[in-house]
Amino acid sequence: MAEVTAQMAIERRSKPLSLEANFAELKRRLSEIYDLNAAKAVLTWDEATYMPRGGAVARGRQAALLKRLEHERAVDPALGRLIDLLEPQADKLSAAAASLLRIARRDFERAIKVPAEYVARVNAHSSASYNAWVLARPANDFATMAPFLEKTLELSREYAAFFTPYEHIADPMIDEADEGMTAAKLQCLFAALRDELTPLVRAICAQPPADDACLRRAFGEAEQIGFGLSIAAQMGYDLERGRLDKTRHPFCTRFAKGDVRITTRVNADHIGDALFSTVHEAGHAMYEQGVDPAFEGTPLGKGILSGMHESQSRLWENLVARSRPFWEHYYPRLQETFPGQLAAEPLESFYSAINKVEPSLIRTDADEVTYNIHVMLRVDLELKLLEGTLRVKDLPEAWRAGMQADIGVAPSDDRDGCLQDVHWFFDRIGGEFQGYTIGNILSAQFFAAATKANPDIASEIARGRFDALLGWLTDNIYRHGRALKPDEIVMRATGSPMTMAPYLAYLRTKYGELYRLPAH
Ligand code: ZN
């Protein structure tokens, strides 16, 4: 009897399933991966917000387990067979289903090329390196970090080798972060951008510096958080499907379409920190909240990393929340919230304070104009390290020389030099930084296209209204999730491939006026 049942089960299994049944099975498998990923994100969010320190060890173990389960499902040969089965029939699927299949293939191929044994080695090294960096940076101790960095470089090269053939050794890492981008394209783009930005920075620095003392006063924490959150909500961050909490390093995280959270940090002596980081993270969150709900639980149901996502946080942070029309509406409200600190401060001086340009040592504190120069220096050094044309031991000096040449200031120590960013000490070398500048370039390109389609956007912003802008961004970018490639989104939304012309025009107009520069 048992044998007969087993035989029947085999026959039933081997009978080819319909296209619909196979597709449903694909979605079921992908949704498990999505949920395991989201469950791990909840643990990470909790760790960064409320977890008592005593929870660290158990939390690390629990997160590692979820990560392993997710990886096992992501590389399951049965998932690969399903994708193989469905691909020849892709033309019978809807456009969304075909996109899902394309992304499932991309994610699967990436996952299976990287052996589990390598992932385990990288994870162990990353946490050891990160723990060493936490102590070495304040101690200005590059010597301790150099062997870690050597090992990270070796692991990054090993990672690239899983994806041969490639043109440049950084290409697999860059493409993973920004699909379609390569080292060659980046070098070309960045060389042109550097040529335009360095004279602009020089011209600005030849002018009297802006006074930003009005930002550096004592501002109550609860008022800062409340003001930032009310702005985020008015912009369109839906608090029925989101929330804001405090953390050390602000981030946005998505658990589901109905739960996209942001975090912020508060500096009691500087009003800019919490305000702009809240708006920045809300920009990421509005992108996630705007994804077509039909994609929920699939790999399409998220925004595109990394430059595309960054373009949205920066669009809201810089093009909207550092603009004059925005503060024409909100500055009186900010003054009401902080009368003791700002009542006597005119709008113009506040506006020039939040847009102060100044060569500085630290990327995360840099202004809109010099920020990209910091990023380009890192990308440049990353590529050279991977190529083998720069040795780890020469990194501190190369960093200082690059800073001096491009920004005009050089750090006196490594703490404010090559030890300042966590990226290389926690993750791979390569693909880590370019997204910030791609995001800046795209933010202006999207904003220009939105304003062209809806010329009232600026006057709406001046009235504290964001419907037209958010509507355009949702229609043209957010709702697509990962269904379109980044290039396709840019092309469809703006009518042209990525171009830095709108970004340069934006910077020249805004800072030309602020610093009274001669017209370009
Ligand atoms: Zn961001």
Side-chain angles (χ1 to χ4, degrees), residues 280-281 284 310 313-314 436:
H280 179 100
E281 298 309 330
H284 283 301
E310 209 54 25
S313 53
R314 278 155 202 274
Y436 300 121

Side-chain angles (χ1 to χ4, degrees), residues 174-251:
I174 295 171
D175 180 73
E176 181 170 304
D178 288 285
E179 186 180 2
M181 190 48 76
T182 64
K185 284 189 207 173
L186 272 182
Q187 281 168 319
C188 182
L189 180 75
F190 284 2
L193 186 60
R194 190 182 266 126
D195 283 350
E196 300 286 342
L197 284 183
T198 8
L200 181 62
V201 170
R202 227 170 279 138
I204 291 172
C205 294
Q207 301 301 313
D211 178 4
D212 64 352
C214 65
L215 308 178
R216 299 170 190 281
R217 289 169 187 161
F219 294 93
E221 179 176 308
E223 290 81 6
Q224 285 201 51
I225 292 183
F227 190 82
L229 187 58
S230 80
I231 282 182
Q234 287 168 59
M235 285 175 160
Y237 176 43
D238 179 1
L239 292 171
E240 294 290 315
R241 300 188 289 139
R243 56 176 289 128
L244 171 71
D245 296 273
K246 262 190 2 169
T247 189
R248 270 160 67 99
H249 303 288
F251 61 94

Side-chain angles (χ1 to χ4, degrees), residues 337-349:
T337 312
F338 299 105
Q341 298 89 333
L342 295 173
E345 205 66 44
L347 168 63
E348 272 314 306
S349 65

Side-chain angles (χ1 to χ4, degrees), residues 53 94 256 285 301 342 355 360 414 509:
R53 209 180 305 166
S94 68
L342 295 173
N355 289 296
S360 63
D414 298 326
T509 307

Side-chain angles (χ1 to χ4, degrees), residues 371-390:
Y371 188 89
N372 300 293
I373 305 180
H374 287 268
V375 171
M376 292 188 284
L377 171 68
R378 285 150 181 75
V379 172
D380 200 33
L381 296 172
E382 258 183 358
L383 298 185
K384 288 187 172 134
L385 285 168
L386 285 164
E387 288 162 5
T389 49
L390 173 66

